[in-house]
Structures are given as structure tokens and as C-alpha cells.
Amino acid sequence: MVTRWIPDDAVKLLAEAGDVVVSPADRPLAPDELHEFVSGASAVVGMLHDRLDGALADAAGPGLKVVANVAVGYDNVDVPALAARGIVVTNTPGVLTDATADLAFGLLLAVTRRLGEGERLLRSRTPWSFHLGFLLGSGLQGKTLGIVGYGQIGRAVAKRAEAFGMEIVHSGRSGRGSVSFEELLARSDVVSLHCPLTPETRHLIDAAALRAMKPSAYLVNTTRGPVVDEAALADALEAGEIAGAALDVFEKEPEVEPRLLGRDDVVLSPHLGSATIETRTGMAVLAARNVVEVLGGRAPLTEVKP
Ligand code: DGY
């Protein structure tokens, strides 16, 4: 049972293992619809907007062997509850690293160079002419990028930032550039978030963290919305505590804190981190491979352990 559209390559692969049913609804299923949909499933291929938990497993019934989340993040999955029922859980790491790092860097450029503002100005047909003080942004060369969450995606962002002449500090436990979270906030000209959403990272960027950043600094979030307290972010921007923010993910996705929507110093994109044809196909195919392996009695390629 596949809870939402996936690319054909992945459907074909799944069909090698059994009958494939893809939800025809072009929207997230409500919990009761989702539970009804998965009834009798051997495998569930789910999306980050689905709650994949013990209730879902119970609704599927005793034949459920594998839950494949088509995302690297798995905060929507109750891994211990599924593992306790003997169900294998998988995610899709690796295949989306570059696409997500590219998007994070695109957002970083968009917010520091005021691209959204420039676009809106032209589209609103506002009169303008080139002058030396017009829509000035902030250069990156010699500036410091603070990377919170120094895993595969964080490192890929660091590689891009180095090519732009930025210094890197990160929250990784060791290695060049490793600093405390407090030092990272105080030193960075841009803070980019790449940690998973866990109980420890929920609202990691709260009012105090935002106050600890430089007034000239920018925040970029391409991980999960709840890592940032969006109301506190709106307060901080209103108070001039930071210079701007670029967000691809939202606390109550798909809703966006209304005060952020009207701000020119905020760049917004609708969870597009992995949204390239190649990457989304790679993610779905990896999820499908995991299902085929588990249903074939073999170990999956990318298992999530409790
Ligand atoms: C993920 O994989 O966790 C992203 O948020 C969606 O690609």
C-alpha cells in the first residue's frame, strides 16, 4: 500500500514483490482514511506527512512486515512501536544529500541577496532604476556559516560554502570547526539547520537562541519545521534581532506563521529540499527496494533501528 503517488520506476519494482495499491487521493490521508487504506497490507510505503505508528500497524493487521518511509527524516514514524510488533522500518538516506544541500545553499543566497524582494518588486511593476544603494544584500566571502547537524547533508552544505569562500563552524562533536552550540550562534553570519527533529531538537532555535545570534545574521532551515519556534522567529525579526530567514519547512506544515508571510526579509519555499526528478525517483526506488528485500526475506538496504 503506497499512501501517495510515487514515480513509475518504484511502482514497477514494488510490483515484483506483490500487488501494489497507490492511494488515488492527491492529498495526505486523514488518520482514519490512512488506517482504512492500509488494512491487510504486507508493506506500507509512507510519506513524511503520514503518522506511521502502532495504530497504523494495528489497522494493517498481522501481515504487515515493513514500513518504508520515503524520506531520510523519520520523526513521523514511531520506530519503537513498530519494532515491538516485529515490523522493519526503513528510510531513504544518501540519495537526497546533494539536492537538499543545493536547496539550502539556494535559500542562503536568496535571503542574503534579497532575490525574493527583487522578484516581487519587478512582478508588481514597481518603477526602479539601477543605483548604488539599491536592494543591497550581504556578501558571503570571509563570512562564517554555522552548521547545526553535521551529518551527510550538513557536510555537503559545508562543501558548497567553502567554494563560496565562507568559514565553517559546526556542531559536530569533533574535527576542524567543531564548536559549542552557543559559540556557533554567536559567531555565525548564517546559521543553517541540518539536525533531525527529535525531542531534544524541537524548538532548538527558540527566543534565546535567536537573541544569541548576531543582528546581522541569517537563519536557514531545510530540516524540519519544529526545530524552529516560528512565533519566536517572527518576534526576533520584528525586533531586529536577526537580519533574515529562509525556510523550506514549517512548524505546522503546510501552514506558515502568518507574520512571516508578509516579511520581505523572509524567503519561503514549500518543502522542496529533495525536489528534483532524479532525487525523488531515487528516494522512491530506494524505498521500493527496501520493501522488496524485506518481503523477500532479506535485510533491507537502509533500516532504521529503534
Ligand atoms: C526528507 O527526506 O526527510 C525530506 O524532508 C524530504 O525529502
Side-chain angles (χ1 to χ4, degrees), residues 48 71-73 92 96 223-224 271 274 280 283:
L48 53 82
V72 63
T92 61
L96 47 71
T223 179
R224 285 291 182 268
H271 208 143
S274 60
R280 289 279 166 86
M283 291 164 68

Side-chain angles (χ1 to χ4, degrees), residues 189-214:
D189 298 294
V190 181
V191 173
S192 191
L193 305 175
H194 302 286
C195 53
L197 173 62
T198 65
E200 293 74 32
T201 63
R202 184 173 292 274
H203 283 192
L204 181 69
I205 303 298
D206 59 6
L210 290 159
R211 257 195 309 275
M213 289 171 63
K214 297 181 189 177

Side-chain angles (χ1 to χ4, degrees), residues 48 69-75 92-93 96 100 153 222-224 248-249 253 271-275 279-280 283:
L48 53 82
N69 200 37
V70 191
V72 63
Y74 50 88
D75 46 282
T92 61
L96 47 71
T100 308
I153 298 172
T222 52
T223 179
R224 285 291 182 268
D248 186 48
V249 287
E253 217 165 288
H271 208 143
L272 297 180
S274 60
T279 299
R280 289 279 166 86
M283 291 164 68

Side-chain angles (χ1 to χ4, degrees), residues 5-293:
W5 178 89
I6 55 171
D8 282 347
D9 289 358
V11 176
K12 282 191 196 125
L13 207 57
L14 287 170
E16 289 174 16
D19 296 330
V20 185
V21 183
V22 181
S23 166
D26 184 21
R27 58 175 171 79
L29 297 176
D32 52 342
E33 290 177 306
L34 181 64
H35 293 169
E36 197 184 322
F37 177 68
V38 300
S39 169
S42 313
V44 173
V45 176
M47 306 296 142
L48 53 82
H49 54 56
D50 301 322
R51 184 84 198 126
L52 306 172
D53 58 6
L56 172 121
D58 295 341
L64 184 62
K65 295 196 170 49
V66 52
V67 168
N69 200 37
V70 191
V72 63
Y74 50 88
D75 46 282
N76 59 314
V77 187
D78 186 342
V79 183
L82 297 181
R85 290 165 172 79
I87 298 161
V88 176
V89 175
T90 66
N91 68 340
T92 61
V95 287
L96 47 71
T97 300
D98 283 321
T100 308
D102 287 348
L103 197 275
F105 216 81
L107 287 176
L108 188 161
L109 285 167
V111 71
T112 57
R113 298 299 299 274
R114 304 174 65 177
L115 297 183
E117 267 181 272
E119 248 240 337
R120 285 190 292 277
L121 179 124
L122 291 177
R123 287 182 190 274
S124 67
R125 301 176 194 273
T126 306
W128 67 283
S129 63
F130 173 90
H131 70 88
L132 291 184
F134 184 49
L135 273 184
L136 300 187
S138 175
L140 299 181
Q141 293 68 36
K143 301 281 175 64
T144 299
L145 173 65
I147 299 183
V148 179
Y150 207 50
Q152 289 185 48
I153 298 172
R155 284 166 205 265
V157 172
K159 209 161 115 186
R160 285 151 179 77
E162 271 162 6
F164 275 74
M166 297 187 83
E167 301 293 324
I168 311 297
V169 293
H170 62 83
S171 62
R173 284 203 190 90
S174 57
R176 192 165 61 92
S178 166
V179 295
S180 69
F181 181 56
E182 291 69 28
E183 186 177 343
L184 183 148
L185 293 176
R187 274 178 58 183
S188 299
D189 298 294
V190 181
V191 173
S192 191
L193 305 175
H194 302 286
C195 53
L197 173 62
T198 65
E200 293 74 32
T201 63
R202 184 173 292 274
H203 283 192
L204 181 69
I205 303 298
D206 59 6
L210 290 159
R211 257 195 309 275
M213 289 171 63
K214 297 181 189 177
S216 56
Y218 299 86
L219 177 71
V220 178
N221 188 11
T222 52
T223 179
R224 285 291 182 268
V227 175
V228 175
D229 178 342
E230 262 175 40
L233 174 61
D235 290 343
L237 288 162
E238 280 166 16
E241 287 171 2
I242 66 168
L247 309 175
D248 186 48
V249 287
F250 304 95
E251 208 178 332
K252 299 187 182 98
E253 217 165 288
E255 304 301 321
V256 181
E257 156 68 42
R259 286 186 292 151
L260 298 177
L261 288 171
R263 294 197 64 87
D264 265 337
D265 50 9
V266 175
V267 173
L268 303 165
S269 57
H271 208 143
L272 297 180
S274 60
T276 69
I277 296 165
E278 298 82 355
T279 299
R280 289 279 166 86
T281 303
M283 291 164 68
V285 164
L286 177 53
R289 285 215 175 103
N290 282 325
V291 168
V292 170
E293 293 306 302

